């Protein structure tokens, strides 16, 4: 005969809150009023009620526990196995006790660091517990162990969207859609992100795909809900979806906005070289990030070209500017190449953004040295310090924006900086 804990489907160490929750859940299933004419349900309900009466009373529960077989002595954590704590975490998650669920998933991971499902479930529990930063780390671990896990990309997108990194969340949702066999919920969430960015035609298309997925699955409640949202969005944006010609004033306004953003981002990267650049990128949409990256790279190349001209390099300015663009392109294409080689998600806008801002500090140092007469020792020192600083920014841009593994970026950055330095000085000395 099953003991009272088995009847209520709870562990021996269940809390009073767990006991009450289990009773309410089972009572709704087996109550005689909900199962008229079913004697088995009536008998089951009486067992549940009897178990609840005993276990909710601390004194009666203590006497009952003494009469039960003793709980087997706990073996060391490693002897229980990762699966034991994983299942225990799932049970706590179902009961919305996320803190205890996270503790058990962590124990499973400690036993088996390659248990990617435990990382994934811990990410889900952290998201439900509003610990978005922890979601990032767990999802990245999942993707290192199982690159084809669409669920990890989905929760990575949810966490980023909640933190306001909307464009980055869209990239994660896009990867999740490619990997998930039933992506209706992901289409819906990507549509919400695109609506936040005022990308209304794309949002409508995502919601249509989601609605079709729900219709095929027979989930007509969500299907009708999405049909209503689609009609509402179409009505609200009917007159705004037409393309408008950009006037000269609009161009100058956008340019001023881009330049002011470049100054803010540059100062942010100076104050916080480790995370300022990636944090700024994640708050921009793709088009804006691409625009700002191109402008910052252009400014840097102009500064370098002017520096060469001030140092009497005997070439027309147009050719100097063309040569000055090459270091920026080297950083951009190295970021793109490493990202593709590592099969990391991302966008060319991130590569351009990283290239423009990684090169900007050293180009400004060259420009200042060319305008002010310093001794060769001071010039060498300032250029050397700027090179180290740009290498540090480039490393954090590779890892934080292009999602390249730290050890790969750490090996590759010195080569990139060496080639850029050799190129700049070779133009100065030999042309």
């Amino acid at each position: 005969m099953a003991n009272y804990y088995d009847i209520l489907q709870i562990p021996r160490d269940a809390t009073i809150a767990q006991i009450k929750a289990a009773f309410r859940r089972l009572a709704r299933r087996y109550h005689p009023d909900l199962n008229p004419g079913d004697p088995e349900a009536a008998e089951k309900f009486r067992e549940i009620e009897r178990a609840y009466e005993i276990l909710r009373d601390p004194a009666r529960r203590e006497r009952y526990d003494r009469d039960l077989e003793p709980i087997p002595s706990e073996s060391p954590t490693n002897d229980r196995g990762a699966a034991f704590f994983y299942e225990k975490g799932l049970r706590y998650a179902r009961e919305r006790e996320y803190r205890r669920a996270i503790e058990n998933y962590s124990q499973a991971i400690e036993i088996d660091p390659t248990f990617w499902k435990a990382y994934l479930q811990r990410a889900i529990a952290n998201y439900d517990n509003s610990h978005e930063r922890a979601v990032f780390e767990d999802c990245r671990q999942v993707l290192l162990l199982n690159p084809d896990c669409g669920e990890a990309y989905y929760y990575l997108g949810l966490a980023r969207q909640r933190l306001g990194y909307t464009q980055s969340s869209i990239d994660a949702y896009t990867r999740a859609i490619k990997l998930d066999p039933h992506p209706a919920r992901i289409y819906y969430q990507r549509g919400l992100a695109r609506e936040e960015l005022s990308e209304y035609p794309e949002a409508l298309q995502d919601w249509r795909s989601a609605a079709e997925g729900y219709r095929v699955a027979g989930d007509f409640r969500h299907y009708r809900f999405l049909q209503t949202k689609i009609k509402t969005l179409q009505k609200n944006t009917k007159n705004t979806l037409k393309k408008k010609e950009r006037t000269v004033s609009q161009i100058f306004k956008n340019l001023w906005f881009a330049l002011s953003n470049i100054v803010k981002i540059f100062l942010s990267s100076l104050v916080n070289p480790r995370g300022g650049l990636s944090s700024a990128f994640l708050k921009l949409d793709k088009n804006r990030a691409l625009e700002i990256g191109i402008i910052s790279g252009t400014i840097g190349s102009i500064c370098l070209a002017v520096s060469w001209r001030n140092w009497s390099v005997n070439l027309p300015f147009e050719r100097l500017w063309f040569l000055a663009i090459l270091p920026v392109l080297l950083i951009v294409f190295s970021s793109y190449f490493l990202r593709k080689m590592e099969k990391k998600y991302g966008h060319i806008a991130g590569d351009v953004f990283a290239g423009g801002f990684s090169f900007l500090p050293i180009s400004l140092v060259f420009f200042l040295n060319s305008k002010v007469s310093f001794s060769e020792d001071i010039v060498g020192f300032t250029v050397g310090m700027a090179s180290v600083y740009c290498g540090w920014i480039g490393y954090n841009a590779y890892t934080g924006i292009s999602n390249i593994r730290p050890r790969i970026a750490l090996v590759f950055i010195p080569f990139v900086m060496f080639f850029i330095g050799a190129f700049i000085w070779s133009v100065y000395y030999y042309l």
Side-chain angles (χ1 to χ4, degrees):
M1 179 179 176
N3 64 49
Y4 291 156
Y5 293 101
D6 292 337
I7 291 171
L8 292 181
Q9 300 174 16
I10 54 176
R12 290 275 293 273
D13 59 349
T15 63
I16 294 297
Q18 288 177 292
I19 293 170
K20 290 181 179 179
F23 173 72
R24 287 193 294 268
R25 184 181 73 252
L26 295 171
R28 284 194 296 268
R29 184 186 304 175
Y30 295 106
H31 198 284
D33 293 343
L34 301 176
N35 299 274
D38 186 347
E40 291 184 5
E43 178 62 27
K44 183 69 174 176
F45 180 75
R46 283 193 291 272
E47 288 182 1
I48 293 166
E49 200 170 30
R50 186 163 55 249
Y52 176 62
E53 289 298 325
I54 296 296
L55 297 183
R56 73 171 180 171
D57 186 301
R60 298 173 71 183
R61 180 182 180 182
E62 184 180 357
R63 288 195 297 272
Y64 176 74
D65 286 345
R66 284 200 299 268
D67 295 335
L68 279 178
E69 294 181 5
I71 300 175
S73 59
E74 293 191 359
S75 56
T77 296
N78 287 354
D79 293 341
R80 289 192 170 190
F84 171 83
F85 291 103
Y86 176 74
E87 294 296 333
K88 196 173 179 182
L90 291 177
R91 186 170 67 248
Y92 281 125
R94 284 193 294 269
E95 296 168 359
R96 298 187 179 182
E97 293 192 29
Y98 300 121
R99 184 183 59 80
R100 301 186 72 175
I102 291 168
E103 290 173 357
N104 280 276
Y105 294 140
S106 299
Q107 286 183 286
I109 290 167
E110 185 178 348
I111 296 169
D112 182 3
T114 64
F115 195 176
W116 66 267
K117 289 184 179 179
Y119 282 110
L120 177 61
Q121 292 300 326
R122 190 171 71 175
I124 295 172
N126 275 315
Y127 178 78
D128 291 333
N129 208 28
S130 299
H131 293 161
E132 287 78 16
R133 300 289 178 184
V135 177
F136 291 169
E137 296 305 318
D138 283 337
C139 287
R140 284 171 181 158
Q141 286 296 327
V142 174
L143 295 172
L144 285 174
L145 298 168
N146 181 12
D148 295 328
C149 181
E151 192 81 354
Y153 282 111
Y154 174 64
Y155 275 92
L156 185 62
L158 288 175
R160 288 186 166 181
Q161 188 174 358
R162 184 181 280 179
L163 288 175
Y165 304 146
T166 310
Q167 182 58 56
S168 182
S169 72
I170 291 175
D171 295 337
Y173 292 141
T174 301
R175 289 296 296 270
I177 286 169
K178 293 178 181 177
L179 297 169
D180 197 304
H182 305 290
R185 59 174 181 160
I186 311 175
Y187 274 119
Y188 169 68
Q189 206 65 40
R190 190 174 72 172
L192 288 178
R194 284 175 162 168
E195 185 187 26
E196 288 180 21
L197 297 179
S198 301
E199 298 176 358
Y200 300 123
E202 292 84 357
L204 286 169
Q205 183 59 45
D206 277 344
W207 285 347
R208 291 189 186 103
S209 299
E212 178 62 18
Y214 285 128
R215 187 191 66 79
V216 171
D219 189 345
F220 293 105
R221 182 173 67 86
H222 282 100
Y223 172 77
R224 288 190 293 270
F225 168 75
L226 275 172
Q227 289 297 327
T228 302
K229 283 189 73 69
I230 289 169
K231 290 178 182 177
T232 302
L233 184 59
Q234 286 175 328
K235 181 179 179 181
N236 293 340
T237 62
K238 184 176 180 181
N239 297 323
T240 60
L241 295 178
K242 295 179 181 179
K243 293 182 180 179
K244 298 179 180 179
E245 295 183 358
R246 300 178 69 185
T247 62
V248 175
S249 61
Q250 287 174 323
I251 294 174
F252 278 110
K253 183 178 179 181
N254 288 338
L255 181 60
W256 173 253
F257 178 78
L259 290 172
S260 63
N261 264 325
I262 288 172
V263 173
K264 291 177 183 177
I265 295 169
F266 180 73
L267 293 176
S268 175
S269 66
L270 286 177
V271 174
N272 181 18
R274 183 172 185 179
L277 202 61
S278 56
S279 179
F281 170 76
L282 291 172
K283 293 180 180 179
L284 297 169
D285 62 75
K286 286 187 296 188
N287 293 334
R288 184 65 69 184
L290 182 63
E291 181 181 67
I292 289 175
I294 290 172
I295 293 174
S296 62
T298 302
I299 293 172
S301 61
I302 290 173
C303 288
L304 181 58
V306 172
S307 303
W308 282 330
R309 171 57 63 89
N310 292 340
W311 282 330
S312 303
V313 176
N314 191 23
L315 282 178
F317 184 79
E318 295 78 12
R319 293 183 64 183
L320 287 177
W321 186 36
F322 172 76
L323 291 172
I325 293 174
L326 295 181
V328 182
L329 295 179
L330 175 61
I331 301 174
V332 172
F333 284 114
S334 66
S335 175
Y336 176 82
F337 172 76
L338 286 176
R339 182 166 56 80
K340 290 298 182 182
M341 184 180 71
E342 288 270 279
K343 296 181 180 180
K344 297 295 184 180
Y345 62 93
H347 194 271
I348 188 65
D351 302 323
V352 174
F353 185 91
F357 277 99
S358 298
F359 182 68
L360 189 57
I362 195 169
S363 65
L364 291 175
V365 169
F366 272 104
F367 175 77
L368 292 173
N369 277 305
S370 71
K371 297 294 287 185
V372 181
S373 297
F374 290 126
S375 67
E376 290 186 1
D377 291 338
I378 294 177
V379 171
F381 176 78
T382 55
V383 170
M385 293 301 295
S387 300
V388 172
Y389 181 76
C390 286
W392 178 235
I393 288 182
Y395 167 81
N396 288 295
Y398 276 8
T399 56
I401 297 176
S402 301
N403 301 296
I404 297 166
R405 282 186 294 174
R407 60 183 179 182
I408 299 296
L410 195 61
V411 171
F412 209 81
I413 278 290
F415 287 99
V416 174
M417 297 307 299
F418 171 80
F419 282 118
I420 290 175
F423 175 80
I424 292 174
W425 288 114
S426 64
V427 171
Y428 171 68
Y429 282 110
Y430 297 109
L431 293 182

